[in-house]
Amino acid sequence: MAKYGEGDARWIVQERADGTNVHNWHWAERDCLEWSRSRLSSLLAGLSVLSGEGGLTLRTTTLDKLDGEAYINIRKGKVIPGYELSLTLAWEAEVTTESGVVKVSGAAEVPYLADENADEDPELRVTVRGEDGPVARRAKDAFLTKGKPLVLEKIREYVAAMAKGGPAKDELDSKKTPTKVPAVEAGGTAAAPAPATEKKVEAPAVKEKKVKAKDKEGFKTIEMTEKFYCRAKDMYEILMDENRWKGFTQSNARISREVGGQFSLFDGSISGVNEELQEGKLIVQKWRFGSWPDGVHSTVRLVFDEPESGVTVISLKQTDVPEEDRYGNSTVVENTERGWRELIFQRIRGVFGFGI
């Protein structure tokens, strides 16, 4: 299998100034390694395998390593995934014995996960870290019996996601959207074309809808509420500590804890400035992706509420999110919202155990 970026130059489109590959006529190749790292981590980290059954508590912790390559080729809407990966997943167990609770840790390794074997499960090797005594072997056997099928199921979800286009899926779906959707929104029905007189009546409805939406033209607002089983100050610390960010995202981060200080997340893909900080209560930031048009910043507002001890509710509101990036891709809002849910909040739950 050819490595990413080494395809025949006659078929690989050189990037246009506007980033467009019209109708995906030529081969368009997209690197998916970092997306694969995030996707597999969200799928595999923090899986609960056993919760005390037979005196065993067993769960996966983090995706320790992902090496190899992954990419998507697209031509005229046809998706051709390519990947050759090896990964190592950490797990831990607590075994109840007559002398007390014994902790055991280990690793589950997939030495070869490739598109050429997409229709079959990959090899999964389970090992114990440290002394391999009777208790450790008991934990290892439990992982092979209960954990292995669960891990392979999650890997199949990744394989299916790659087959559908991986990070390019939303872009492909948007290109398939029927052009008559706006007409449905205006009239509220997908019936046959209306007479000319009815079309004149529909026009004010469209204008009225735009007036009700308080977003600026070309921008949207993202709002969501997430619940975690922890203290508010714990969530605040995780979101404002660069070492914890590196831990649950498996990517580089630099975060200032001062108002007016700058931050950089996901290996520099996101950057911004702190505008208001109240420990355990509020984070307000100017926030942008590097792929957004120059000078465009959204405002992220995270409000922390602790309605009862050990329970934290985060209310997120992100305003002025552009509908398109600098290349004309129209999936910015969807990708940003999914990123908050899957790459930040769900992974915090998985890695720190705040609500699985």
Side-chain angles (χ1 to χ4, degrees):
M1 182 178 68
K3 291 184 178 181
Y4 170 74
E6 292 184 0
D8 189 326
R10 294 172 298 176
W11 299 101
I12 303 297
V13 177
Q14 299 300 316
E15 187 172 307
R16 279 177 38 157
D18 59 2
T20 303
N21 175 15
V22 181
H23 302 306
N24 284 318
W25 179 263
H26 302 288
W27 284 106
E29 192 170 89
R30 177 172 298 187
D31 188 356
C32 301
L33 183 59
E34 290 306 313
W35 178 88
S36 297
R37 192 187 311 279
S38 296
R39 181 69 171 178
L40 285 166
S41 182
S42 65
L43 287 170
L44 297 173
L47 294 176
S48 178
V49 180
L50 290 172
S51 302
E53 297 90 331
L56 264 171
T57 300
L58 179 62
R59 75 183 194 116
T60 63
T61 54
T62 59
L63 181 67
D64 282 351
K65 185 181 74 171
L66 180 71
D67 294 327
E69 60 176 359
Y71 57 85
I72 293 289
N73 281 325
I74 305 171
R75 183 174 186 262
K76 296 190 72 177
K78 183 178 180 181
V79 174
I80 304 175
Y83 49 90
E84 286 184 352
L85 302 168
S86 64
L87 63 92
T88 301
L89 178 67
W91 58 268
E92 61 182 19
E94 292 183 356
V95 185
T96 302
T97 66
E98 293 181 356
S99 57
V101 176
V102 179
K103 293 186 177 181
V104 180
S105 63
E109 180 187 3
V110 177
Y112 188 67
L113 174 64
D115 59 282
E116 62 186 4
N117 300 323
D119 57 346
E120 58 188 61
D121 287 331
E123 177 188 3
L124 182 66
R125 302 170 183 170
V126 179
T127 58
V128 172
R129 293 170 177 165
E131 184 178 351
D132 190 11
V135 174
R137 285 194 294 272
R138 181 182 167 193
K140 177 182 176 180
D141 291 341
F143 193 96
L144 285 168
T145 303
K146 299 293 186 180
K148 181 178 179 180
L150 184 58
V151 170
L152 292 178
E153 177 188 346
K154 296 300 182 181
I155 289 177
R156 286 193 290 270
E157 289 185 30
Y158 165 78
V159 170
M162 283 292 286
K164 293 178 181 178
K169 180 181 182 298
D170 286 349
E171 179 181 342
L172 291 169
D173 289 347
S174 69
K175 294 179 185 297
K176 297 177 183 177
T177 304
T179 56
K180 52 186 179 181
V181 168
V184 174
E185 293 178 357
T189 177
T197 54
E198 292 186 19
K199 289 182 180 178
K200 291 181 181 179
V201 175
E202 292 171 358
V206 175
K207 291 180 181 178
E208 182 179 328
K209 184 175 180 180
K210 289 184 178 179
V211 170
K212 289 182 179 179
K214 298 181 180 180
D215 298 310
K216 296 186 294 185
E217 185 175 355
F219 295 85
K220 293 293 184 182
T221 295
I222 294 172
E223 293 186 83
M224 67 179 72
T225 301
E226 297 287 327
K227 185 177 181 180
F228 302 85
Y229 291 102
C230 65
R231 296 173 300 176
K233 68 177 185 178
D234 294 332
M235 280 300 301
Y236 181 92
E237 281 299 315
I238 289 171
L239 292 172
M240 291 302 298
D241 184 85
E242 60 186 45
N243 290 322
R244 290 185 173 93
W245 262 93
K246 292 174 184 178
F248 76 80
T249 66
Q250 297 294 296
S251 63
N252 291 322
R254 298 187 65 182
I255 302 174
S256 168
R257 299 174 67 94
E258 303 294 329
V259 174
Q262 299 182 351
F263 62 88
S264 173
L265 310 173
F266 292 104
D267 296 322
S269 296
I270 297 170
S271 61
V273 177
N274 297 324
E275 291 203 316
E276 187 176 351
L277 299 173
Q278 296 179 29
E279 187 172 354
K281 296 181 179 180
L282 177 68
I283 297 174
V284 181
Q285 298 171 325
K286 284 296 183 184
W287 193 100
R288 63 171 273 116
F289 271 104
S291 60
W292 289 4
D294 292 338
V296 173
H297 289 79
S298 66
T299 298
V300 169
R301 184 180 182 87
L302 292 160
V303 178
F304 300 77
D305 183 32
E306 196 168 338
E308 57 184 283
S309 179
V311 177
T312 296
V313 176
I314 294 182
S315 298
L316 164 71
K317 185 173 184 179
Q318 184 170 2
T319 57
D320 296 333
V321 179
E323 293 181 336
E324 295 186 351
D325 63 16
R326 69 171 75 225
Y327 305 117
N329 297 317
S330 58
T331 58
V332 173
V333 177
E334 293 84 353
N335 290 343
T336 303
E337 183 171 4
R338 187 171 63 250
W340 278 108
R341 291 192 189 280
E342 297 182 5
L343 303 184
I344 298 177
F345 293 142
Q346 287 184 16
R347 292 176 70 174
I348 288 175
R349 290 189 182 98
V351 172
F352 298 98
F354 289 167
I356 294 183

